[in-house]
Amino acid sequence: MVSQSLTGDAAGSITDQVYEALRSDILACVIQPGEAISEASLAARYAVGKAPVRFALSRLRQEGLVSASPRRSFVVSSITPRDIQELYEVRLVLEPASARLAAGKIDVSRLRKIDAVCQQGYLPGDVKSTLRFLDSNRAFHLAIVEASGNRRFLRLLTQIFDETTRVMHIGLGVRNRNAEMQHEHDALVEALEAGDGDAAAKIAEEQVSASRDMVMNAIFKSTLLLDRPITVSRQNHSAYES
């Protein structure tokens, strides 16, 4: 899949557009985990100069989505089962704690507006709708973390959610969780609105566990050697071992 070229007619600068396009392609695994990329190849891909590409790569390197390689310029960060396990271990610690702290303090009307996009669901296998859904899901959960008042939680989970988006994209492509996630969000909002910190923490923990199980089941169903980095089929975006 080749990304469309960018033009200055769209909203935002070319630099921002390249960053958003490249980030989207990495998160959706259109550009494969472990794939080598260069300024020249990306400039050709997006039909822009090297300067905005260089800026985008610098930002994505800070976010942990790419790393520098002396021989190949840059490499998209790989995904391994250990990476997935560690991501969810962090989420299982911080998200329930954030929900407990946010209970009774969060702006529920704002949270429901964010969740309205999630409630629209996504089309399994459709990259754009899945990314839109995942972006709104990310905003929903980070709004709860922000309401906890713990800035370190917010900083850590912002990065964690960027990394989790890629693995959730794999899982959602294998299993449709539209209805389940909508129910989970409704229950969490109700607990937060009621100021029930214990219930909110429990629901948050259950949500993270369900997400982890979905992703890991998708990986185990379609991989044999789980100690290798995971890549994604360009045809159907299902996980497989390189």
Side-chain angles (χ1 to χ4, degrees), residues 166-181:
R166 287 199 298 166
V167 299
M168 284 192 69
H169 193 281
I170 296 170
L172 292 177
V174 174
R175 176 183 169 193
N176 190 333
R177 287 199 71 230
N178 272 315
E180 293 173 50
M181 293 179 73

Side-chain angles (χ1 to χ4, degrees), residues 64-79:
L65 290 174
V66 301
S67 59
S69 172
R71 293 185 297 107
R72 297 181 293 180
S73 186
F74 288 88
V75 175
V76 177
S77 299
S78 62
I79 304 171

Side-chain angles (χ1 to χ4, degrees), residues 94-132:
L94 297 185
E95 286 190 64
S98 297
R100 179 176 281 107
L101 290 170
K105 298 189 296 184
I106 194 167
D107 183 344
V108 174
S109 61
R110 173 174 174 261
L111 191 60
R112 291 190 188 279
K113 287 180 181 179
I114 296 171
D115 191 41
V117 181
C118 288
Q119 297 289 342
Q120 296 175 17
Y122 67 98
L123 297 174
D126 182 87
V127 173
K128 288 185 177 180
S129 72
T130 302
L131 279 179
R132 183 188 66 242

Side-chain angles (χ1 to χ4, degrees), residues 99-100 102-119 136-137 139-145 147 180-207:
R100 179 176 281 107
K105 298 189 296 184
I106 194 167
D107 183 344
V108 174
S109 61
R110 173 174 174 261
L111 191 60
R112 291 190 188 279
K113 287 180 181 179
I114 296 171
D115 191 41
V117 181
C118 288
Q119 297 289 342
S136 61
N137 181 67
F140 175 85
H141 288 286
L142 288 180
I144 296 171
V145 179
E180 293 173 50
M181 293 179 73
Q182 288 171 11
H183 174 73
E184 292 167 354
H185 283 195
D186 288 341
L188 182 53
V189 171
E190 289 176 6
L192 291 168
E193 186 172 24
D196 191 338
D198 289 340
K202 182 180 179 181
I203 295 168
E205 181 178 357
E206 290 171 348
Q207 288 183 5

Side-chain angles (χ1 to χ4, degrees), residues 10-145:
S13 69
I14 289 294
T15 297
D16 290 336
Q17 290 179 59
V18 172
Y19 164 75
E20 293 294 343
L22 179 53
R23 179 178 178 274
S24 177
D25 282 347
I26 290 174
L27 293 179
C29 298
V30 173
I31 299 179
Q32 299 275 298
E35 184 173 336
I37 53 178
S38 67
E39 290 181 7
S41 66
L42 293 174
R45 182 187 188 95
Y46 300 115
V48 296
K50 290 185 179 179
V53 170
R54 190 174 302 121
F55 177 81
L57 286 169
S58 177
R59 287 182 65 179
L60 292 169
R61 185 180 180 185
Q62 292 177 350
E63 294 172 11
L65 290 174
V66 301
S67 59
S69 172
R71 293 185 297 107
R72 297 181 293 180
S73 186
F74 288 88
V75 175
V76 177
S77 299
S78 62
I79 304 171
T80 68
R82 179 173 180 176
D83 293 329
I84 297 170
Q85 187 66 33
E86 290 178 353
L87 287 171
Y88 280 101
E89 285 174 353
V90 174
R91 289 186 61 186
L92 280 168
V93 171
L94 297 185
E95 286 190 64
S98 297
R100 179 176 281 107
L101 290 170
K105 298 189 296 184
I106 194 167
D107 183 344
V108 174
S109 61
R110 173 174 174 261
L111 191 60
R112 291 190 188 279
K113 287 180 181 179
I114 296 171
D115 191 41
V117 181
C118 288
Q119 297 289 342
Q120 296 175 17
Y122 67 98
L123 297 174
D126 182 87
V127 173
K128 288 185 177 180
S129 72
T130 302
L131 279 179
R132 183 188 66 242
F133 174 80
L134 287 174
D135 281 345
S136 61
N137 181 67
R138 173 184 183 275
F140 175 85
H141 288 286
L142 288 180
I144 296 171
V145 179

